[in-house]
């Protein structure tokens, strides 16, 4: 059986896995991959195993025709649209042991989420066989977990992190933003605003003071339901040692606005 990659020209294959409802954030990954590889493959697959809430899975935006159009002007060699049976030929999911990275923040609030992410990424890598794969730092915890998965299971892919693309008002682009009402979108801007305020205070605050500041600031917006505001060492995702410089810590938050759950992060 030939693999997707074997049918493509050139030597290096860049891969951009997505769940569709594409936006400029996804596009920045595609452009980076195109600039660094002979051929780029984009996958679109709304992965059921990473949704801990079935309603979230049902609501997730699906716009494949629009996505294909959106990618038309890009140099993409192949768009991979697998179905669930192709990704999960067996019913049983492996339980991945990826250590502490999976137990905090998103791992704590979305049980099973990262096991689903690890399952789909490992399977997609097996099918696509890329040299490099591109992931957004907006999903920072996911990025660290995929690096660990790649090392631990010797998948041999060069994992590349790409900066978060934001709206002009600071809101991190996300497929889920399409689910926000106009009022909710206005409210969502306070997430990145809070992170910016934390960054501007970071010189004089410990990580705990910064977390408290962020949580208190968001209390001013009762329609934002905060799940966590954390300041961590980006490598370990644990509380930062005092030796870590200001500006090298990472502030991460998750909050629900109406039914839509959003995450964001910024160096502080
Ligand atoms: P998703 O379709 O949400 O699973 O995202 C697919 C990839 O795009 C992931 O690696 C995300 O981290 C990345 N991504 C999503 N939003 C952004 C953004 N605003 N900036 C950069 N990358 C992003």
């Amino acid at each position: 059986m030939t693999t997707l990659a074997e049918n493509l020209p050139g030597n290096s294959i860049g891969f951009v896995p997505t769940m569709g409802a594409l936006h400029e954030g996804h596009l920045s990954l595609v452009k980076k991959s195109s600039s660094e590889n002979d051929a780029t493959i984009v996958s679109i697959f709304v992965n059921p195993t990473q949704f801990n809430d079935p309603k979230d899975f049902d609501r997730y935006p699906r716009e494949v025709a629009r996505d294909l159009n959106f990618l038309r002007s890009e140099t993409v060699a192949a768009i991979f649209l697998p179905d669930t049976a192709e990704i999960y030929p067996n019913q049983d999911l492996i339980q991945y042991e990826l250590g502490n990275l999976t137990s905090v923040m998103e791992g704590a609030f979305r049980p099973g989420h990262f096991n689903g992410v690890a399952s789909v990424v490992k399977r997609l890598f097996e099918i696509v066989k890329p040299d490099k794969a591109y992931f957004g730092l907006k999903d920072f915890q996911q990025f660290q977990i995929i690096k660990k998965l790649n090392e631990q299971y010797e998948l041999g892919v060069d994992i590349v992190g790409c900066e978060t693309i934001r709206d002009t008002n600071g809101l991190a682009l996300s497929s889920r933003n399409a689910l926000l009402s106009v009022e909710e979108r206005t409210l969502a801007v306070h997430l990145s605003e809070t992170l910016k305020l934390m960054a501007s205070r970071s010189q004089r605050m410990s990580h705990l003071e910064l977390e408290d500041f962020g949580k208190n600031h968001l209390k001013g917006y009762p329609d934002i339901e905060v799940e966590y505001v954390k300041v961590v060492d980006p490598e370990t995702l644990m509380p930062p040692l005092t030796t870590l410089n200001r500006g090298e810590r990472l502030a991460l938050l998750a909050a629900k606005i109406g039914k839509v759950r959003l995450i964001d992060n910024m160096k502080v």
Side-chain angles (χ1 to χ4, degrees):
M1 195 180 80
T2 58
T3 65
L4 256 179
E6 278 163 1
N7 290 320
L8 293 173
N11 295 320
S12 79
I13 304 288
F15 178 41
V16 181
T18 81
M19 296 208 298
L22 301 179
H23 51 67
E24 294 293 328
H26 297 112
L27 216 53
S28 73
L29 274 56
V30 173
K31 285 186 192 299
K32 194 164 169 65
S33 174
S34 305
S35 73
E36 294 182 358
N37 298 281
D38 297 320
T40 291
I41 300 177
V42 177
S43 67
I44 299 177
F45 177 63
V46 184
N47 173 33
T49 65
Q50 73 185 71
F51 286 82
N52 52 309
D53 173 1
K55 289 202 205 87
D56 188 26
F57 176 67
D58 292 342
R59 269 198 297 265
Y60 200 84
R62 290 164 173 85
E63 308 169 8
V64 174
R66 187 191 147 277
D67 290 344
L68 298 182
N69 204 28
F70 192 67
L71 289 173
R72 220 163 37 186
S73 57
E74 300 305 314
T75 37
V76 173
I79 300 171
F80 182 38
L81 301 163
D83 61 19
T84 306
E86 186 164 9
I87 298 296
Y88 298 113
N90 307 313
Q91 292 293 313
D92 294 336
L93 274 194
I94 295 175
Q95 290 302 312
Y96 290 91
E97 281 302 330
L98 297 163
N100 285 340
L101 293 178
T102 57
S103 58
V104 295
M105 296 183 289
E106 292 301 284
F109 280 89
R110 302 184 69 188
H113 168 63
F114 286 125
N115 207 64
V117 170
S119 306
V120 76
V121 169
K122 183 160 178 289
R123 178 77 181 129
L124 286 168
F125 282 5
E126 279 162 11
I127 300 172
V128 174
K129 298 203 181 354
D131 298 289
K132 291 185 171 193
Y134 295 79
F135 293 91
L137 298 177
K138 194 207 127 214
D139 298 283
F140 189 84
Q141 189 172 5
Q142 167 175 284
F143 171 70
Q144 290 294 28
I145 287 168
I146 289 167
K147 280 205 298 186
K148 179 101 192 256
L149 174 82
N150 184 54
E151 269 167 37
Q152 201 161 302
Y153 291 84
E154 299 179 354
L155 305 181
V157 178
D158 189 358
I159 308 293
V160 184
C162 306
E163 288 305 320
T164 302
I165 305 297
R166 298 178 179 279
D167 217 335
T168 45
N169 60 17
L171 176 64
L173 298 190
S174 163
S175 302
R176 287 191 164 88
N177 292 353
L179 304 173
L180 296 167
S181 68
V182 175
E183 294 76 25
E184 287 170 340
R185 204 173 238 272
T186 309
L187 210 51
V189 174
H190 296 297
L191 302 180
S192 59
E193 176 205 73
T194 302
L195 291 168
K196 278 189 228 156
L197 288 171
M198 290 167 72
S200 71
R201 282 156 176 76
S202 83
Q203 285 303 328
R204 48 181 196 277
M205 285 194 187
S206 70
H207 75 279
L208 290 176
E209 287 168 336
L210 275 174
E211 288 176 2
D212 283 345
F213 171 81
K215 285 181 213 159
N216 282 330
H217 182 75
L218 285 167
K219 279 194 186 133
Y221 306 99
D223 290 335
I224 300 182
E225 191 190 322
V226 177
E227 288 192 349
Y228 61 81
V229 178
K230 287 277 173 200
V231 175
V232 301
D233 178 329
E235 288 311 312
T236 60
L237 303 183
M238 293 290 131
L241 298 175
T242 48
T243 47
L244 197 65
N245 289 331
R246 303 298 195 238
E248 288 176 1
R249 302 176 295 188
L250 194 71
L252 303 97
L253 55 77
K256 276 192 188 145
I257 300 182
K259 291 185 171 127
V260 185
R261 187 175 183 282
L262 298 173
I263 59 173
D264 198 356
N265 68 75
M266 216 173 271
K267 287 264 178 75
V268 294

